[in-house]
Amino acid sequence: MIEYIQGTLDDLTPTFATIEACGVGYQLIISLNTYSAIQGKKEIRLYTHEVIREDTHLLYGFSTKTERELFNLLISVSGIGGQTARMFLSAFTPMELANIIREENVRLLKSVKGIGPKAAQRIIVDLKDKIPLDTGMDTSHSTENDVSGMVAREVVEEAVAALTMLGFPPAPSQKIVLQIVKSSSSLPVEAIIKQALKML
């Protein structure tokens, strides 16, 4: 098992990070929380979770052990796979998600794509007593981007590309992203994607 990968951040999108370590490039699937935490850094360490099947070999990367622990708890719930777990960790910070589960907030859990009332209840029943009491880290960022002109288009394109990779149709994604950028033009791309996840 690979515990973590440490090296140079070679490429970064809201859904993937590529780390070069000892001459090998590792592509890791990441959440928006991890994207926000490592954005702008050169040397990084990501804690990993491997998925090895006959037809695929996937590496998930997390900026903290806490986020990885929540991911592992989520995928332990029947019917919750890695993609859905990443959606949860992109829509909410680990602290928010832990509190949502502890407070049995079915409505917020249902706001994640593909999660209905039964799945939300199952997550609560299975995980309420397993969430670590010390779960909590501030991953909020107030970075302001210049979204005028070319920068605005790049932000929109990056947000729509990330939502498409998460399984949402491009057209509705673009419509929502443009709506968010129009009303809050100073938001960084990860914040735009988080808002879009709750509106799609």
Side-chain angles (χ1 to χ4, degrees):
M1 174 182 172
I2 301 173
E3 171 65 11
Y4 63 82
I5 296 175
Q6 183 169 317
T8 303
L9 182 59
D10 185 64
D11 191 28
L12 180 65
T13 73
T15 50
F16 291 97
T18 301
I19 302 176
E20 182 179 343
C22 301
V24 179
Y26 298 90
Q27 186 182 65
L28 297 99
I29 303 167
I30 61 172
S31 71
L32 283 178
N33 284 301
T34 291
Y35 171 78
S36 181
I38 66 177
Q39 194 176 26
K41 296 182 179 180
K42 192 63 179 174
E43 296 294 322
I44 64 168
R45 170 188 289 187
L46 291 184
Y47 298 94
T48 62
H49 173 84
E50 290 181 275
V51 176
I52 300 174
R53 296 192 293 263
E54 282 188 15
D55 58 341
T56 188
H57 183 185
L58 303 175
L59 264 179
Y60 289 87
F62 309 91
S63 61
T64 67
K65 289 183 177 180
T66 299
E67 188 183 19
R68 182 176 64 179
E69 187 172 1
L70 278 172
F71 177 89
N72 286 331
L73 286 172
L74 285 166
I75 62 174
S76 73
V77 177
S78 176
I80 304 298
Q83 177 74 345
T84 302
R86 179 174 66 160
M87 292 278 284
F88 274 111
L89 292 167
S90 292
F92 309 106
T93 67
M95 181 169 61
E96 288 170 342
L97 182 57
N99 288 334
I100 287 167
I101 294 172
R102 288 196 194 102
E103 294 166 4
E104 303 183 28
N105 194 326
V106 172
R107 181 182 62 83
L108 283 178
L109 289 176
K110 282 166 51 185
S111 70
V112 173
K113 182 187 179 187
I115 298 298
K118 289 184 179 179
Q121 289 287 0
R122 191 161 56 243
I123 290 169
I124 290 168
V125 170
D126 287 3
L127 303 185
K128 185 180 179 183
D129 296 327
K130 297 179 182 178
I131 299 293
L133 293 176
D134 61 348
T135 297
M137 60 179 185
D138 183 7
T139 57
S140 61
H141 293 263
S142 57
T143 304
E144 293 201 1
N145 294 337
D146 176 8
V147 293
S148 61
M150 182 64 74
V151 175
R153 286 194 292 274
E154 289 177 358
V155 168
V156 170
E157 288 172 4
E158 191 171 4
V160 172
L163 290 166
T164 302
M165 294 175 82
L166 287 169
F168 294 96
S173 297
Q174 185 174 41
K175 183 178 178 181
I176 292 294
V177 168
L178 288 171
Q179 180 182 329
I180 294 168
V181 170
K182 186 176 179 180
S183 62
S184 305
S185 61
S186 63
L187 287 175
V189 66
E190 62 267 26
I192 292 170
I193 298 168
K194 281 191 175 187
Q195 281 198 24
L197 285 170
K198 298 171 184 177
M199 295 169 69
L200 284 165

